[in-house]
Amino acid sequence: MSTPHRTQESRREATRKALMAAARRFFVERGYSATGTPELVAEAAVTRGALYHHFQDKSDLLMAVATDMAFEVAAAVAASTPPDLPPLQAMRDGSHAYFAAMAEGGRARVLLLDAPAVLSPAQLAILSEAAGADELRHGLKACLRAGRNAPVHELGSLLSAAFDRAARAVAEGEDPTPWTAAMDLLVGAVAADLAR
């Protein structure tokens, strides 16, 4: 038999999930700025008080939804890059998985359009890490010739920006083939230079 505490905890979790599901749907379909809190709470079938019990404001809800999406992207990239792949192949396969993951479920809209317009630079850095920035740096380090120094952190940041630019173009309907080819060339050139 469940205890009152566990039941209350379950209700809290159900309320949070309902709010996140409603927010995700509206942010993807309409965008952050076109989504109002009254329609969010109506969709989630909760009160405004419940919204503000779980989230400070609408931007806090955006951060929660975007964080979930960033973790989904990272999981897709990780699934495509088993540890036994050669570093360059892992980076290329990860790149392709990133584009595919960003093109699904409205992730590009939330992560690359709404989040940068609403969230702080510190919050965007958290999202970048959640989406796999550390894995990208790890891939760059794996390409690095032993004993060689290189600005891996900065290279990772620059490549991450390039990946985001390409993913945004693909999500906006551009042909993914040239963007994927361009990123393959860029990743290949960086990896080859690091290996020298």
Side-chain angles (χ1 to χ4, degrees), residues 77-95:
V77 171
S80 75
T81 55
D84 58 340
L85 279 182
L88 177 56
Q89 188 62 48
M91 289 188 65
R92 284 189 173 146
D93 289 358
S95 169

Side-chain angles (χ1 to χ4, degrees), residues 70 74 111 122-135 137 156-157 160 164:
L111 292 170
Q123 289 172 308
L124 294 175
I126 291 168
L127 290 178
S128 180
E129 289 301 316
D134 191 51
E135 287 299 315
R137 288 189 295 270
S157 292
S160 182
D164 287 352

Side-chain angles (χ1 to χ4, degrees), residues 13-90:
E13 184 59 26
T15 298
R16 183 177 172 83
K17 283 182 179 179
L19 284 164
M20 297 243 336
R24 183 175 185 138
R25 184 176 142 233
F26 283 133
F27 294 163
V28 167
E29 290 175 4
R30 302 176 184 179
Y32 175 85
S33 62
T35 299
T37 56
E39 61 195 336
L40 281 173
V41 297
E43 176 73 13
V46 300
T47 65
R48 284 179 64 94
L51 170 65
Y52 294 114
H53 174 75
H54 290 278
F55 302 98
Q56 292 177 1
D57 53 24
K58 190 172 79 164
S59 69
D60 190 33
L61 183 54
L62 173 65
M63 180 65 183
V65 169
T67 299
D68 277 0
M69 288 182 163
F71 281 127
E72 293 164 4
V73 170
V77 171
S80 75
T81 55
D84 58 340
L85 279 182
L88 177 56
Q89 188 62 48

